[in-house]
Amino acid sequence: MRDFLLSLLLNTLALWLVTQLYGGLFFAPGSGLGDYLLTGLIFGLANALLKPLLLLLTLPFNILTLGLFTLVVNAVILLVVAALTPLDVRGFGGALIGAVLLAVISFGLNLLMEPRDRRKTR
């Protein structure tokens, strides 16, 4: 349960940071903490349930592009989340850039939140 809540908070924080840094992603005016948390939850569920299916379906493209097509899949996931939540995305290009920023920020946040004992074993 603790890992789930931490993942939800990191997803929410990463989405919020991307919306603050990049104008192609933004929350609808009047959105509050509940909207951010809902978006983080739906984003996490989409990554856990929808992304593996999309990656399997697009496996030939991923192989041909040496994995770069994963960026397109991430953008599609972001567009799906935006369709279900108060998150707004300015076109596919905005989703693509937002997905790259989101991946970088999420990676950094996960590194910061990783337990110290696991860092020492590497």
Side-chain angles (χ1 to χ4, degrees):
M1 184 68 166
R2 179 181 174 269
D3 290 339
F4 171 75
L5 289 175
L6 183 61
S7 176
L8 172 65
L9 290 175
L10 287 178
N11 278 338
T12 304
L13 180 60
L15 281 167
W16 181 80
L17 283 172
V18 169
T19 60
Q20 298 303 307
L21 296 173
Y22 175 60
L25 258 67
F26 54 95
F27 281 97
S31 297
L33 181 60
D35 295 324
Y36 300 148
L37 288 171
L38 174 69
T39 304
L41 176 66
I42 291 176
F43 181 71
L45 288 173
N47 271 330
L49 302 174
L50 187 59
K51 187 174 179 178
L53 177 65
L54 289 175
L55 286 174
L56 182 64
L57 292 173
T58 61
L59 187 61
F61 295 112
N62 246 334
I63 291 171
L64 286 174
T65 62
L66 302 175
L68 289 176
F69 198 76
T70 304
L71 296 174
V72 174
V73 171
N74 288 342
V76 169
I77 295 291
L78 203 53
L79 287 170
V80 168
V81 170
L84 299 172
T85 64
L87 182 69
D88 289 325
V89 180
R90 291 197 178 136
F92 186 77
L96 191 62
I97 294 170
V100 170
L101 288 173
L102 194 58
V104 170
I105 290 173
S106 292
F107 178 74
L109 288 174
N110 282 323
L111 280 180
L112 288 175
M113 298 307 291
E114 187 176 76
R116 291 186 189 273
D117 57 340
R118 284 183 48 197
R119 278 188 241 163
K120 291 179 184 176
T121 59
R122 289 186 188 171

